[in-house]
Amino acid sequence: MDNNLIFGIRPVAEAIEAGRQLERLYIRKGAEGRLMQELKDLCMRHRIRYQEVPVEKLDRLTRGNHQGVVAQTASIAYVELTDILERVPEDETPLIVAFDGVTDVRNFGAIARSAECAGAHGLLAPLKNAAPVNAEAIRASAGALTTIPVCRVGSIRMTLAQLQQQGFQVVAATEKSRKLLYDADFRCPTVLVMGSEERGISNEVLKLCDEQLAIPMIGHIESLNVSAAAAVMLFEAVRQRIGD
């Protein structure tokens, strides 16, 4: 059984009121009643998103009496964007990795591992359409997810625009670009954006990026796995910054 699961209306409500961070919250479709409505109102007050799902999904998650509600608590403590920025040492240039649709926990964890090894200062992940930071992701990161700060945001696009206003360049990793990563300058404050395994970075986010960079490919396969691509991009930034 997943030790991060809480089920039942009152236990989940108590967890929210106690300030526990939730990774996922599932509520049975069509669920009604006074207690259920109170829980939904509580979610609204605390700005907690929930997903309405068929009862079969809840039954698969737990054999307990879930009363139409199952929550997965976060395996790490998430931080605010300001926390990431304030933790950057004065003698270092900020480097942040942003996820746009990376849903595979193993890829998420592997990218986090590379980011931590490359000295990145934090990770940005959307609240929706993102891999959960669960035990599997932490294992894939070799524990890096317990070390590198992770911030969850409602809108990646708005957060990137906010960072641009603070002097960051936003760099997209995409095989569709003609400009190679070796022609870019990573010595300034940088946000590296990695896209989904299937579709890449969304058009809305791509339009916002200051640079779109590709990794040169010599073999027959057109692109790298997203976690491998992230490692290549991150360590080009390391190479440039060490040589600066």
Side-chain angles (χ1 to χ4, degrees), residues 9 32 51 64 77 81 86 99 101 103 108 112 119 129 133 143 156 161 173 205 207 225 227 232 234:
I9 297 175
E32 298 178 348
Q51 183 179 352
L81 177 59
E86 288 172 358
F99 297 87
T103 57
F108 191 100
N129 194 30
V133 181
I156 281 291
V205 171
K207 291 176 184 176
N225 169 278
S227 62
V232 173
L234 282 162

Side-chain angles (χ1 to χ4, degrees), residues 7-13 16 25-45 48 50-53 55 58 65-71:
F7 52 88
I9 297 175
R10 288 193 183 279
V12 171
I16 294 172
L25 175 56
Y26 301 109
I27 294 179
R28 178 176 62 83
K29 280 185 179 178
E32 298 178 348
R34 179 179 59 82
L35 289 178
M36 187 63 76
Q37 187 57 51
E38 288 178 359
L39 176 62
K40 291 179 179 179
D41 293 342
L42 184 65
C43 290
M44 184 175 296
R45 291 198 299 275
I48 294 174
Y50 61 85
Q51 183 179 352
E52 295 191 349
V53 299
V55 69
L58 302 179
N65 180 20
H66 53 66
Q67 299 177 305
V69 180
V70 177

Side-chain angles (χ1 to χ4, degrees), residues 19 23 33 51 67 69 85 91 97 104 110 151 163 165 167 170 173-174 186 192 227:
E23 191 72 55
Q51 183 179 352
Q67 299 177 305
V69 180
L85 300 179
D91 60 343
V97 179
D104 184 278
C151 173
L163 285 167
Q165 292 174 357
V170 177
T174 171
F186 288 98
L192 173 62
S227 62

Side-chain angles (χ1 to χ4, degrees), residues 142-209:
L145 281 167
T146 63
T147 302
I148 190 168
V150 182
C151 173
R152 294 196 303 180
V153 297
S155 168
I156 281 291
R157 187 172 59 83
M158 291 180 63
T159 305
L160 294 177
Q162 176 185 344
L163 285 167
Q164 283 175 320
Q165 292 174 357
Q166 297 183 48
F168 280 77
Q169 68 166 347
V170 177
V171 174
T174 171
E175 71 275 11
K176 299 174 184 176
S177 176
R178 292 184 178 179
K179 184 172 182 177
L180 301 182
L181 76 158
Y182 305 119
D183 298 323
D185 186 351
F186 288 98
R187 293 170 297 177
C188 61
T190 299
V191 184
L192 173 62
V193 184
M194 304 305 301
S196 75
E197 295 85 352
E198 294 83 20
R199 296 180 301 277
I201 299 171
S202 64
N203 290 331
E204 293 79 8
V205 171
L206 271 179
K207 291 176 184 176
L208 187 68
C209 292

